[in-house]
Amino acid sequence: MRVQPPTPRRIVGDPTRMRVERFPVTILLGIQLAAMVVIPAAVKGTEPLGLIAGICAVAVVVALYIELMMQPIKMPNSTARPVATRAAFTVLTVGIIATVVSSIGGRGSYAVQIGVATESPIVSIAAPFTLWVLFGVSLILWLFRQGQVSRKAALWVCAIVAVVCLVEGLARAILGQSAALILTVLILAMYAKLIRLRTLVIVLAAIPILWPPIYDFRDSLRRAAVSGPGAVSADAPLERLQLDTQMALVGRLVPRPAGLEVLDMPTLVRIGLIPGFLDSDRPALNTGSQMSVALGGAPTSSQSATMLGNVYIFEGWVGIVVFVILLTLVMGFLLRRDNPWALTGIGLVYSYGISFNASYPDVIPRMLQAMISLAIAYILVRALSGPKARAASDARVVQRAEVRDAARARTAPGARRLHR
């Protein structure tokens, strides 16, 4: 008798229970803001405490309201085309290779940022494909949720991606982006039912233990890059996990000082859609540098008041409300689409819109660039997911189901009595 492939596990869970799948922005944003902004600010008395807490509260309340309004919306029938396993692993492999090449070429490294080194020309070719690490792991996690990839293989993929991201961050001597990508992978693994929420909480609880030695090693790499002691942050390692000081910059930058201006929307779209080598005359996206100068720092440094803080500085309270509404609507729509590209979109929305490393207005061109890269990945996946590849993938699913059912039959109580 032919064994049918296992039924896919839906992203949106039991509607009678409050789950992270039903209130993603409220829960993820709320936990992050509470742990990294509000609680540290209250304990240390960071000023302006009322404004900091108000920004966080407005964001969480707006997200909760929108997600409550979205509860009656059901998941539509899946119309996603099948994805071959080899296509997903090809995307991941290309992403890892591009990440390694970009790191070797100095992409975004601390030495390049302070002017003691220059990026290799190969970075401009490899950089657009570094996001394929996120795309690839998202596709593999979706295949796991569909029963086409084993749990062991999915766990190994997540572990390898985490190691690659950590090594890349240390090679650049800048850990923020790499740490945010690792956390994004963990959240995607949770949505794909590879790990549970409590596993994610345990991993996050281990960060205060693992972070100080990693942070100290990063500082040693920075000292080596500039051959001097002035290359490290004055903050203690654990203080770098607290974003209250960053968000407190709103008190110094509101009202906005002269010279601190956000680029207009057409320019942000232009930066996002046209590669730099084709548009050398476009203005630089240097919001962080402008903020550093406005605060009395050097133009070679970069400052951010966090995503919400930057939105408040440039757009005010209306900007906070509009931003959170858009973020919540997009995340809710993606969670109700049962296809691999929706899971990929969830990763992008978290990484660029919610994570501690997200920043405004950088989110706009970065998201546009990501969509272009995702479109190229989609074309490749479609080319590698032809009828033969889908048939082979379905055969592997059936084979794994047969092996699993046979193993369960051998270990059933009745089977054990027969073998005594």
Side-chain angles (χ1 to χ4, degrees):
M1 182 179 67
R2 180 179 175 84
V3 179
Q4 295 297 324
T7 303
R9 284 157 283 188
R10 295 158 64 94
I11 294 180
V12 176
D14 183 357
T16 64
R17 300 173 57 191
M18 178 177 284
R19 301 167 62 96
V20 68
E21 295 95 334
R22 296 177 62 229
F23 298 89
V25 178
T26 302
I27 294 177
L28 295 176
L29 191 62
I31 292 175
Q32 186 170 287
L33 290 176
M36 304 185 75
V37 179
V38 178
I39 294 177
V43 170
K44 296 186 296 185
T46 305
E47 294 295 340
L49 181 58
L51 181 58
I52 293 172
I55 292 173
C56 297
V58 168
V60 173
V61 169
V62 171
L64 177 59
Y65 175 78
I66 298 300
E67 287 179 330
L68 284 171
M69 294 298 100
M70 295 183 70
Q71 291 310 301
I73 301 176
K74 305 298 183 182
M75 180 187 291
N77 294 329
S78 177
T79 57
R81 297 180 180 179
V83 173
T85 305
R86 69 167 182 171
F89 277 94
T90 299
V91 171
L92 178 64
T93 302
V94 171
I96 291 175
I97 293 173
T99 299
V100 172
V101 170
S102 295
S103 297
I104 294 174
R107 173 178 174 259
S109 69
Y110 180 76
V112 169
Q113 289 189 11
I114 64 175
V116 300
T118 57
E119 283 188 355
S120 168
I122 198 172
V123 170
S124 61
I125 300 175
F129 298 97
T130 56
L131 266 179
W132 285 29
V133 171
L134 178 60
F135 301 160
V137 75
S138 300
L139 294 174
I140 291 168
L141 287 171
W142 186 81
L143 290 173
F144 160 75
R145 199 167 59 83
Q146 299 295 111
Q148 296 177 243
V149 170
S150 67
R151 176 176 293 274
K152 181 178 179 181
L155 288 171
W156 268 110
V157 165
C158 292
I160 291 171
V161 169
V163 170
V164 169
C165 292
L166 179 60
V167 171
E168 180 204 18
L170 292 173
R172 298 168 61 194
I174 296 177
L175 290 172
Q177 183 177 350
S178 299
L181 184 54
I182 293 173
L183 182 57
T184 302
V185 170
L186 289 173
I187 289 173
L188 289 174
M190 177 186 66
Y191 282 129
K193 312 300 183 184
L194 179 64
I195 64 174
R196 297 187 178 185
L197 177 59
R198 61 172 174 261
T199 305
L200 178 60
V201 172
I202 293 172
V203 172
L204 295 179
I207 290 179
I209 301 173
L210 301 174
W211 179 252
I214 296 174
Y215 187 85
D216 290 340
F217 184 56
R218 185 215 68 169
D219 281 352
S220 69
L221 296 174
R222 288 192 172 190
R223 293 189 190 97
V226 300
S227 302
V232 301
S233 171
D235 296 330
L238 293 181
E239 290 180 356
R240 297 292 289 178
L241 298 177
Q242 302 167 14
L243 302 181
D244 57 307
T245 304
Q246 282 185 249
M247 190 174 285
L249 295 178
V250 298
R252 300 172 59 185
L253 296 175
V254 176
R256 199 163 68 240
L260 180 57
E261 299 292 339
V262 66
L263 295 177
D264 57 78
M265 186 60 66
T267 302
L268 292 172
V269 172
R270 173 182 169 188
I271 293 173
L273 296 181
I274 304 177
F277 65 90
L278 295 177
D279 189 13
S280 57
D281 296 331
R282 72 187 186 190
L285 183 62
N286 60 350
T287 310
S289 176
Q290 288 185 35
M291 294 179 71
S292 175
V293 172
L295 294 167
T300 54
S301 298
S302 181
Q303 290 281 0
S304 173
T306 72
M307 169 65 85
L308 292 178
N310 280 14
V311 172
Y312 178 78
I313 290 170
F314 293 110
E315 311 297 345
W317 288 110
V318 174
I320 294 286
V321 173
V322 172
F323 171 76
V324 175
I325 289 175
L326 291 175
L327 187 70
T328 307
L329 289 174
V330 172
M331 183 69 91
F333 172 79
L334 292 172
L335 278 167
R336 286 165 173 79
R337 301 296 302 180
D338 189 20
N339 66 66
W341 307 106
L343 190 61
T344 304
I346 291 170
L348 288 175
V349 170
Y350 176 80
S351 181
Y352 288 154
I354 302 177
S355 79
F356 59 86
N357 196 57
S359 182
Y360 178 85
D362 306 50
V363 60
I364 298 172
R366 285 180 179 176
M367 188 63 77
L368 291 173
Q369 291 167 358
M371 296 307 296
I372 294 174
S373 184
L374 182 60
I376 299 173
Y378 178 84
I379 294 172
L380 176 63
V381 169
R382 291 272 55 82
L384 294 177
S385 298
K388 292 183 179 180
R390 292 198 297 270
S393 180
D394 290 342
R396 285 192 294 270
V397 174
V398 172
Q399 183 180 14
R400 276 196 294 270
E402 291 173 342
V403 171
R404 184 177 63 250
D405 291 344
R408 289 175 178 173
R410 288 194 300 270
T411 57
R416 288 197 295 268
R417 285 195 296 269
L418 291 174
H419 286 82
R420 285 177 183 173

